[in-house]
Amino acid sequence: MCGIYFSLSASGAVLPNEETCCLLRKRGPDNYHVHSVEQKIANTRSSNEAPIAVQLTFVSTVLSMRGGCLVPQPLVDPTTQSVLCYNGDAWKISGEPIQGNDAELIFKLLLQAVNHHSKTTSSADSSTSAVQGVLDVISSISGPFAFVFYDAINSKLFFTRDSLGRRSLLQGADESGAFKLCSLCDGTSSTHFSEVETDGMYMIDFEHAIFQDNSFAAKSAGTPSFDASCIQTLLWEHNASDSPLRPRNPIPPMNKTIPEGEAPSLTVETVAVKELEHRLRQSLALRIQNVREPPTTSSGSNVKVAVLFSGGLDCTLLARLSHDILPKEEVIDLLNVAFENPRVAAAAAGRGGTTGSVYESCPDRITGRAAFAELQRVCPDRNWRFVAVDIPYEETLAHRQTVKRLMRPHNTEMDLSIACALYFASRGQGLAFDSRNISAQPTQYTTSARVLLSGLGADELFAGYSRHGAAFSRDGFAGLIDEINLDVSRLGKRNLGRDNRVIAHWGREARFPFLDEEFVSWVVQLPVWEKCGFGTPPPPTDSPEAGLDSEKKGLRLVALRLGMTNVAREKKRAIQFGSRTAKMEKGKVKGTDALT
C-alpha cells in the first residue's frame, strides 16, 4: 500500500498541505520521498513567446509489503528521467505469478515499452506506439492498482485505477490553478476533488497541453493554470486487440444463458461448486502466502493476516480457507467490531430491556462469536484469535471528523456509517480471545497484521442481496441476470476508493479474494443457476443442502463442503446495521442524506 500525490503547476513545485502529508505518511509509514521534474509547454497565448516551464511534483509514501527489502518511491529512471508512483499489488502479469517487488517490475516493463517504440518506429508513429505499449503493460496486470506514470521520452503523463476500483485516486485543482492527483483529498473541505473514474486510462500529452488564465487565482498571481479539458480518456475494451489505443478490460461479458425448462439442482457434488472452491482457494493463496513479517506491536503480536470478521458467510469462508493455506503455527486474527449506539440503547431501555453489554448484543458480535466457535470446532489445530473491537459512543465522536476527512469526497450518512465501521475494525485494537486459551481473561491487544481480508464482492457476484430475489420474482431468470450484470458492471464505481482511504489510514492493506480478475471472469461466465439457488429444485428435506437460502447458494455449498454447517445458513446483513453504526443519533434519517 502506498500514498500517491502529484501536482502540475506553472508557478513552481506545489506540495501537499501539512494535513494531507500527515495522512499520506499514515498510509505509507515505511518511506516518504519527493521528486520534481520541469516540463516545457508550448505557450498557447502567443507563438512568439517562450515555452512555459511547468513543474511536475511527485510524492510517494510506502507501506512495504512485497519483495525482500524496502523499495522507495517515486521510482525514477536516471537515464530518461521517467517517473512512476505506484500503489497496488500485481499478483500476476500476463497470467504469470510474480515474485519480488511488483512496482519495480512494472516500471521496468513501462520503460521497455516506451523506449522500444521510440527506437523502432518513425517519429510520426513513435508517440502513438509508445502509448499502445503503456496500455499493453497495464492490460497485463492482474491485481489492484492506482498509479501516475510520467513518460519523459514522449512527454506524456498517464494515470488510472484498476477497472474494479480497488485503490483510491482522486483528481482536483487548488485555488492557484494547480492540477492534482492524490490518494486523498488535498486542500480544504471546499476544494473540489473527485474520484478518478475506472472506465479507462487517462493521459496528458504535454505537446498539446493547454495552460490559460482562466481562474481568479491564476490571474492575480500572473501564472496560467492547467486546462483539464485536454486530458484524454482511453476507454477499456473487452477486445482491445481490435481497437487501437484501448486498454483491455479483464472482465468478459456476463453469461446471459437462460435454462430450457427447469434449472438443474445445485448440490455439494455439483462440478461448478467444487471448481468454485478450487478457484477461490487459488485467489486467496496469492494474497496470503509469502507475506513479510510485520513490525511487532506493543501487544507483542507477530500476526501476518487478519480477517475483517462479522461472522457472516463471506468472511468466515475466507478464514476457513486460510486455515488450509497458512502454516498451522500462524495465528489468524478475526477483527470483529461493535459500537455503542445511544439511540438503540435508549430504545431498549424504554422497552425495559436487559442491562447486558451493548457490544455483545450487536448482531455482528453475536454472529461473530458463533462463527468463531464453529471455526474452533472445524479447525481445532489452529489458534484463532477473536478480537472484540468495542467502540464507545464518545470514541466514535472523537474520531468522526477524521473519518469524514478520509472518506471525502463521499459525504452521506451511509458513507459515514460504513466508513466508521471499517475505520475502527481495521485499527485492530480490542480485547483478544485466543482459541488455545479460551478460558483465560481477555487481554488488551492490537493486531500486527498488515494484510486484512475482506469478503467484499461476493454479494454482487453470487446474488446476495434481497433485490436479487425480488428481480427473480418479478422477471424470472432474465431479470435476475440483468440485476447481477448491473452489479458487476458497476463494481468499479462502488465505494472501494472510500474504503481504501479509511482502512489504509492504519498502515494496513485490505485484500479482496472475491475480486480477483481471474476469479470474477470465471464467475461471470457461469450460468446463473450455478451461482445461486433461484429457480432450482428444492433439495430433499433430509439432505445436507436442506434449508439453504437461494442467495449465494454456490458459496453456501462450499461452506458445507468445508464443514461449516451453521455459517452456510447465515443471513446477509449490512455492516452498518450489524455493527450498529447506522442512525446513532436520529432514527428518521436516510442513508443518502448529505452530511452537514
Side-chain angles (χ1 to χ4, degrees):
M1 180 68 65
C2 302
I4 291 175
Y5 171 90
F6 166 80
S7 66
L8 173 61
S9 171
S11 58
V14 177
L15 291 167
N17 67 27
E18 184 177 352
E19 181 192 37
T20 303
C21 185
C22 178
L23 294 174
L24 287 171
R25 285 177 179 269
K26 284 276 204 176
R27 290 177 63 92
D30 298 334
N31 181 258
Y32 173 90
H33 192 66
V34 180
H35 180 75
S36 292
V37 175
E38 187 178 275
Q39 172 74 49
K40 299 292 186 181
I41 304 288
N43 195 325
T44 58
R45 293 176 294 186
S46 171
S47 58
N48 296 324
E49 293 187 32
I52 301 170
V54 299
Q55 202 74 18
L56 282 61
T57 303
F58 303 85
V59 180
S60 282
T61 62
V62 176
L63 177 72
S64 184
M65 304 283 284
R66 307 285 294 274
C69 61
L70 171 67
V71 176
Q73 290 194 45
L75 296 170
V76 181
D77 178 43
T79 303
T80 65
Q81 293 304 304
S82 295
V83 183
L84 176 66
C85 295
Y86 177 78
N87 171 23
D89 280 307
W91 303 114
K92 294 182 180 181
I93 293 181
S94 298
E96 294 297 321
I98 67 171
Q99 301 296 326
N101 186 272
D102 52 339
E104 285 186 312
L105 176 56
I106 289 168
F107 192 38
K108 177 183 176 182
L109 293 172
L110 288 169
L111 292 174
Q112 287 174 349
V114 297
N115 273 307
H116 171 76
H117 289 290
S118 298
K119 293 176 180 178
T120 59
T121 57
S122 65
S123 58
D125 297 330
S126 63
S127 180
T128 299
S129 299
V131 172
Q132 187 62 58
V134 171
L135 297 179
D136 290 344
V137 172
I138 299 310
S139 298
S140 72
I141 299 173
S142 176
F145 59 79
F147 74 87
V148 179
F149 171 58
Y150 172 56
D151 171 13
I153 297 174
N154 300 287
S155 297
K156 289 180 171 60
L157 185 92
F158 301 88
F159 61 94
T160 192
R161 303 161 65 202
D162 69 84
S163 63
L164 295 175
R166 292 162 289 184
R167 290 287 187 271
S168 171
L169 191 64
L170 306 170
Q171 63 180 356
D174 67 12
E175 294 82 357
S176 72
F179 174 72
K180 295 180 178 180
L181 297 165
C182 192
S183 300
L184 306 147
C185 287
D186 179 53
T188 65
S189 58
S190 62
T191 307
H192 178 69
F193 269 78
S194 60
E195 300 265 11
V196 171
E197 295 289 346
T198 58
D199 54 357
M201 173 82 75
Y202 294 85
M203 180 179 74
I204 299 172
D205 185 346
F206 290 113
E207 292 185 1
H208 303 286
I210 300 172
F211 278 75
Q212 49 189 327
D213 302 329
N214 60 353
S215 71
F216 176 79
K219 289 178 181 177
S220 62
T223 57
S225 61
F226 175 67
D227 183 354
S229 66
C230 56
I231 299 175
Q232 299 178 51
T233 306
L234 309 173
L235 298 173
W236 299 105
E237 285 278 1
H238 287 297
N239 297 306
S241 59
D242 300 332
S243 306
L245 297 186
R246 293 290 180 91
R248 182 184 62 81
N249 189 332
I251 310 302
M254 179 74 64
N255 182 342
K256 295 191 174 184
T257 304
I258 293 176
E260 297 180 4
E262 188 177 58
S265 58
L266 195 61
T267 73
V268 291
E269 295 303 321
T270 300
V271 172
V273 173
K274 295 178 180 179
E275 182 71 5
L276 170 55
E277 178 187 338
H278 171 69
R279 288 179 177 268
L280 184 56
R281 198 182 293 271
Q282 284 184 319
S283 171
L284 180 60
L286 283 173
R287 288 158 173 79
I288 64 174
Q289 288 180 327
N290 304 312
V291 175
R292 186 184 297 171
E293 289 287 340
T296 303
T297 67
S298 57
S299 303
S301 171
N302 62 350
V303 173
K304 297 179 182 179
V305 175
V307 184
L308 296 172
F309 191 74
S310 66
L313 171 66
D314 313 327
C315 61
T316 309
L317 192 52
L318 295 180
R320 171 64 186 84
L321 288 170
S322 296
H323 168 74
D324 294 340
I325 297 167
L326 293 175
K328 295 293 189 291
E329 62 272 15
E330 287 192 21
V331 180
I332 299 176
D333 283 350
L334 309 173
L335 309 178
N336 180 272
V337 66
F339 287 77
E340 177 189 12
N341 185 313
R343 189 184 60 82
V344 173
R351 295 192 301 267
T354 63
T355 57
S357 167
V358 294
Y359 308 113
E360 293 302 312
S361 64
C362 278
D364 278 3
R365 179 58 51 80
I366 295 169
T367 56
R369 288 205 180 276
F372 175 45
E374 189 158 38
L375 284 169
Q376 293 175 77
R377 176 181 63 79
V378 176
C379 313
D381 51 344
R382 169 77 58 185
N383 187 13
W384 303 95
R385 181 176 292 132
F386 185 89
V387 184
V389 180
D390 297 340
I391 309 299
Y393 180 57
E394 292 77 8
E395 191 168 9
T396 300
L397 293 179
H399 287 258
R400 183 171 284 180
Q401 289 306 313
T402 300
V403 176
K404 289 169 72 174
R405 171 67 177 83
L406 290 168
M407 74 184 199
R408 280 172 38 199
H410 289 69
N411 189 46
T412 69
E413 291 286 349
M414 182 179 292
D415 286 318
L416 182 60
S417 297
I418 295 172
C420 273
L422 293 173
Y423 175 87
F424 284 106
S426 57
R427 184 174 68 170
Q429 180 179 313
L431 290 173
F433 299 80
D434 278 28
S435 59
R436 291 271 174 86
N437 196 12
I438 200 66
S439 60
Q441 282 293 108
T443 56
Q444 280 294 333
Y445 172 83
T446 301
T447 186
S448 61
R450 286 183 159 191
V451 171
L452 305 182
L453 295 176
S454 166
L456 198 145
D459 289 304
E460 289 80 1
L461 290 169
F462 294 93
Y465 296 115
S466 59
R467 53 186 165 76
H468 290 118
F472 179 78
S473 298
R474 184 176 60 249
D475 297 313
F477 280 109
L480 173 61
I481 292 168
D482 285 345
E483 193 72 22
I484 297 173
N485 190 42
L486 177 64
D487 281 332
V488 173
S489 68
R490 62 187 180 190
L491 275 171
K493 297 183 181 297
R494 272 201 55 142
N495 299 310
L496 285 165
R498 174 203 65 199
D499 299 349
N500 174 255
R501 293 190 290 278
V502 170
I503 293 170
H505 181 69
W506 302 109
R508 309 190 200 278
E509 178 176 291
R511 294 182 176 175
F512 308 99
F514 288 105
L515 293 181
D516 176 85
E517 285 90 342
E518 289 187 12
F519 182 78
V520 174
S521 297
W522 179 78
V523 174
V524 299
Q525 293 175 90
L526 280 177
V528 68
W529 58 88
E530 292 186 344
K531 305 174 198 179
C532 53
F534 297 108
T536 60
T541 55
D542 59 347
S543 69
E545 296 90 350
L548 292 186
D549 286 347
S550 294
E551 292 86 357
K552 296 189 289 191
K553 189 170 183 180
L555 292 177
R556 296 181 186 281
L557 290 168
V558 172
L560 275 187
R561 287 178 56 81
L562 296 168
M564 309 294 290
T565 55
N566 295 327
V567 167
R569 290 168 170 79
E570 196 55 61
K571 303 288 184 182
K572 163 70 182 172
R573 187 185 304 113
I575 185 173
Q576 66 269 34
F577 299 113
S579 62
R580 286 186 175 161
T581 56
K583 303 182 180 181
M584 282 201 166
E585 287 87 13
K586 296 181 293 183
K588 293 183 179 180
V589 63
K590 295 179 180 179
T592 54
D593 288 348
L595 299 169
T596 55

